[in-house]
Amino acid sequence: MKYILVTGGVISGIGKGIIASSIGTILKSCGLRVTAIKIDPYINIDAGTFSPYEHGEVFVLNDGGEVDLDLGNYERFLDINLYKDNNITTGKIYQHVINKERHGDYLGKTVQVVPHITDAVQEWVMNQAKVPVDDDKKEPQICVIELGGTIGDIEGMPFVEAFRQFQFKAKRENFCNIHVSLVPQPNATGEQKTKPTQNSVRALRGLGLSPDLIVCRSAKPIEMAVKEKISMFCHVEPEQVIFIHDVSSTYRVPILLEEQGIIKYFKQRLNLPIDDQPSDLLMKWKKMACRYERLLKVCSIALVGKYTKLSDCYASVFKALEHSALAINYKLDLMYIDSTELERSTEAENSVKYHQAWHKLCKADGILVPGGFGIRGTEGKLQAISWARTKKKPFLGVCLGMQLAVVEFARNCLNWEDANSTEFDPDTKNPVVIDMPEHNPGDMGGTMRLGKRRTIFKTENSVLRKLYGDEMFVEERHRHRYEVNPELTHCFEEKGLKFVGHDTEGNRMEIIELENHPYFVGVQFHPEFSSRPMKPSPPYLGLLLAATGTLNAYLQRGCKLSP
């Protein structure tokens, strides 16, 4: 097993996740089996209870793990399926060690950070690195490990110490450290500064790790003189300094790395049994990146949510839309609309914001209402759904988006004026969305209906079934506490809102479709988590096809994309 540790310096959020994913993609294109582990030094057991503004979206895995969004990058880039144990947190490690202490595994010993915590980290990494993540179920050959945060952070120290020890346990030919650093360019001088990188590498060396590659992030391409300066002051060869500047799309990053000779370096440094040239997989990435940059036709989608100030809050949704747009040769124009700005209360407080939000919504080719929790902004989402339904705008509702589509239909088509979800109004007379008691025992962490579950189509006359290739069932990832009230579904069906998919028991409503509408679809699951650059998610693809007016032609071709 070969281990590649990716650390970061100067600032967090520098792009370690994309760099780690891109390195994995390059090695996979050389015919190697690659897995990935993300280490988050926070004390939370998992990411499930975070606000999206803390660390971006919560990504859900097949096994129900609620993890950091970087695992989503790994899955999309490498086309693999990871597990909850591929995300290590300080909370998980300490809980593991404390449980062993209570069990009596350390009888007579003082339990300390060194060696007990550091040993637990190393043991976890070695065990998880062997777990198959590809469809062929073979053991991986390379494990890319991303250490979250920045070198020098107090909470990350035990992990750095663990890998300082681990490099000797794994042996030099099996362990490699890549350090991602920032080369800022102050506007005042316009000069690219190397001092932050020098200090970051010095701090890393002081903790016992020496970088084999220094990946320098910058806004603009870095000059050769800067590369030579970093090489000299950071005690590495010039070819060990890699530049990654801001690019038009993340699909370009693996290509930039490959152009700078990273395959040849890994082959020598880790004694890898590979050719110097990448295979067809990286050629596909090159073609995809070039195609992305040449797109001329634009499709605009309005994303109506409440976490719109940070794009990472809807990272997987954005990627799923981007994959679908690329598949049909359109450039995606994603307009984020804060749902509270569509509400009447905003018109009174700030009429300019209100009218700007509605202007965006009205000019969009399609409307998407993603998942979420809490009552804030729900009235604005209901207004957007009503607009999509009455004006026959293509619409996709995901999780909460589907539940609100049911609420909106109940209020405006069934005339149940107080129809609501018990999440927002526990005393409503018409609870069209109810909680699932067996998945809500009191604790908030990990108590939802999580992970991959089967949805069975109960009719052949379903647009989503056709988009899924006319399969009898689909398996997608879930994350919810509330569900559509199964006792009231017949009322909706009589008025044209069809529940075309349900769970294996037939009790839980999973998919809705509205009759006599170009594309009005709601799904209880989160299809965005399964979307891949070369395998777009069918519900999102359907939205883009409907928004560009090409859905019917696509269905008539037997769900084949035109060349």
Side-chain angles (χ1 to χ4, degrees):
M1 177 66 69
K2 310 286 183 181
Y3 300 92
I4 298 172
L5 175 66
V6 180
T7 55
V10 186
I11 59 168
S12 60
I14 199 169
K16 296 188 298 296
I18 297 295
I19 302 287
S21 303
S22 300
I23 286 164
T25 302
I26 289 169
L27 293 170
K28 186 166 184 174
S29 78
C30 295
L32 297 167
R33 294 186 299 278
V34 184
T35 186
I37 292 174
K38 172 72 192 288
I39 296 174
D40 287 302
Y42 47 67
I43 296 173
N44 303 60
I45 299 294
D46 61 27
T49 55
F50 282 145
S51 157
Y53 284 137
E54 288 284 318
H55 290 270
E57 73 168 6
V58 177
F59 190 80
V60 180
L61 302 172
N62 278 347
D63 65 357
E66 296 173 287
V67 296
D68 185 84
L69 61 82
D70 274 320
L71 276 85
N73 286 325
Y74 306 154
E75 287 205 345
R76 284 187 286 270
F77 272 72
L78 297 167
D79 194 16
I80 54 177
N81 290 307
L82 298 170
Y83 300 91
K84 62 177 77 171
D85 285 346
N86 286 80
N87 191 194
I88 302 174
T89 68
T90 297
K92 280 183 184 176
I93 293 293
Y94 273 76
Q95 188 181 57
H96 173 69
V97 170
I98 289 166
N99 286 344
K100 284 178 78 173
E101 187 275 331
R102 291 289 84 188
H103 188 253
D105 291 14
Y106 306 118
L107 275 182
K109 291 192 175 72
T110 305
V111 181
Q112 296 174 288
V113 172
V114 180
H116 301 102
I117 296 294
T118 52
D119 282 354
V121 172
Q122 295 172 61
E123 185 186 323
W124 194 304
V125 166
M126 286 191 291
N127 289 338
Q128 199 58 31
K130 295 174 187 171
V131 176
V133 291
D134 283 308
D135 291 337
D136 62 9
K137 300 298 178 192
K138 289 183 180 174
E139 189 176 307
Q141 297 162 290
I142 304 258
C143 180
V144 181
I145 306 154
E146 181 195 343
L147 176 56
T150 311
I151 289 300
D153 293 347
I154 291 172
E155 60 262 37
M157 289 297 184
F159 295 104
V160 176
E161 172 58 23
F163 286 107
R164 185 196 68 77
Q165 297 170 21
F166 187 69
Q167 64 186 330
F168 302 110
K169 189 182 285 187
K171 302 287 187 289
R172 177 174 161 74
E173 66 272 16
N174 299 322
F175 183 86
C176 172
N177 177 212
I178 297 170
H179 190 61
V180 186
S181 184
L182 178 70
V183 176
Q185 193 170 4
N187 290 332
T189 61
E191 185 186 0
Q192 291 172 330
K193 297 292 185 181
T194 64
K195 195 64 75 180
T197 297
Q198 292 177 43
N199 291 337
S200 179
V201 171
R202 189 182 300 120
L204 184 64
R205 283 219 169 90
L207 296 168
L209 285 170
S210 268
D212 295 286
L213 288 173
I214 299 171
V215 177
C216 299
R217 288 280 293 110
S218 61
K220 295 174 182 171
I222 294 175
E223 296 147 19
M224 190 52 68
V226 176
K227 181 173 188 167
E228 288 165 357
K229 191 174 180 183
I230 290 170
S231 164
M232 181 169 66
F233 285 105
C234 294
H235 197 63
V236 293
E237 295 283 345
E239 54 266 29
Q240 290 173 267
V241 182
I242 306 283
F243 298 156
I244 301 291
H245 58 274
D246 291 350
V247 285
S248 58
S249 85
T250 52
Y251 307 129
R252 273 272 160 221
V253 179
I255 296 153
L256 278 177
L257 289 167
E258 189 263 330
E259 285 169 352
Q260 295 178 64
I262 204 166
I263 295 176
K264 188 179 176 185
Y265 178 80
F266 279 135
K267 183 182 178 181
Q268 293 170 347
R269 174 68 182 76
L270 296 172
N271 297 329
L272 296 175
I274 55 174
D275 297 326
D276 286 352
Q277 295 302 315
S279 68
D280 296 342
L281 181 63
L282 209 59
M283 293 307 295
K284 283 182 184 174
W285 275 86
K286 282 184 182 178
K287 286 177 185 172
M288 190 165 61
C290 292
R291 198 154 57 87
Y292 180 87
E293 285 157 10
R294 288 201 304 264
L295 295 172
L296 298 173
K297 295 182 285 186
V298 178
C299 177
S300 60
I301 300 293
L303 189 154
V304 183
K306 64 176 184 178
Y307 307 114
T308 54
K309 292 181 179 66
L310 182 68
S311 59
D312 271 357
C313 296
Y314 298 111
S316 291
V317 170
F318 170 67
K319 288 296 177 188
L321 288 167
E322 191 179 62
H323 300 160
S324 297
L326 188 58
I328 61 171
N329 296 314
Y330 272 78
K331 189 184 279 287
L332 174 69
D333 174 20
L334 185 57
M335 301 183 290
Y336 292 97
I337 300 175
D338 188 332
S339 56
T340 56
E341 292 175 7
L342 297 171
E343 295 175 0
R344 287 286 179 195
S345 57
T346 303
E347 186 180 22
E349 294 164 15
N350 190 333
S351 61
V352 174
K353 261 187 180 178
Y354 174 81
H355 289 293
Q356 282 175 342
W358 272 101
H359 176 68
K360 270 188 192 175
L361 188 76
C362 294
K363 72 176 186 178
D365 298 316
I367 296 168
L368 170 69
V369 178
F373 297 91
I375 194 168
R376 184 176 69 83
T378 51
E379 288 303 318
K381 291 175 186 175
L382 288 166
Q383 296 278 352
I385 293 165
S386 187
W387 169 266
R389 182 180 57 78
T390 54
K391 302 296 180 185
K392 297 206 182 301
K393 282 272 184 189
F395 165 79
L396 175 64
V398 175
C399 197
L400 178 64
M402 168 186 150
Q403 294 172 5
L404 290 177
V406 172
V407 172
E408 188 278 332
F409 194 87
R411 289 181 184 180
N412 297 321
C413 297
L414 302 182
N415 297 319
W416 299 348
E417 290 180 12
D418 73 333
N420 214 332
S421 165
T422 55
E423 180 181 5
F424 313 128
D425 181 5
D427 302 319
T428 176
K429 290 190 179 70
N430 290 297
V432 293
V433 177
I434 56 173
D435 64 336
M436 302 181 294
E438 77 274 26
H439 288 283
N440 189 10
D443 286 347
M444 297 299 282
T447 57
M448 288 183 275
R449 184 168 179 250
L450 292 163
K452 187 166 83 169
R453 292 169 190 267
R454 183 169 290 190
T455 296
I456 296 166
F457 289 104
K458 65 176 190 181
T459 173
E460 290 183 18
N461 186 26
S462 157
V463 66
L464 210 52
R465 177 170 177 162
K466 289 169 187 167
L467 286 165
Y468 271 105
D470 217 23
E471 298 286 344
M472 292 175 67
F473 63 85
V474 293
E475 290 182 330
E476 294 279 10
R477 300 175 188 184
H478 292 69
R479 183 178 184 244
H480 63 111
R481 274 197 186 89
Y482 296 83
E483 61 170 333
V484 173
N485 190 341
E487 293 178 9
L488 302 175
T489 54
H490 63 280
C491 303
F492 294 91
E493 300 233 338
E494 286 166 7
K495 291 284 186 176
L497 188 69
K498 303 294 184 183
F499 293 89
V500 298
H502 52 67
D503 70 346
T504 49
E505 280 79 42
N507 299 326
R508 225 150 246 165
M509 301 304 120
E510 294 277 359
I511 303 170
I512 59 165
E513 291 179 12
L514 182 63
E515 289 181 341
N516 304 316
H517 192 286
Y519 191 81
F520 191 95
V521 172
V523 291
Q524 185 59 73
F525 45 82
H526 288 266
E528 63 271 18
F529 294 143
S530 308
S531 184
R532 302 285 185 264
M534 296 170 201
K535 288 186 280 187
S537 166
Y540 286 91
L541 182 62
L543 176 66
L544 266 293
L545 287 164
T548 55
T550 55
L551 178 60
N552 288 336
Y554 176 77
L555 295 174
Q556 283 164 10
R557 285 196 304 270
C559 295
K560 287 184 175 66
L561 293 165
S562 57

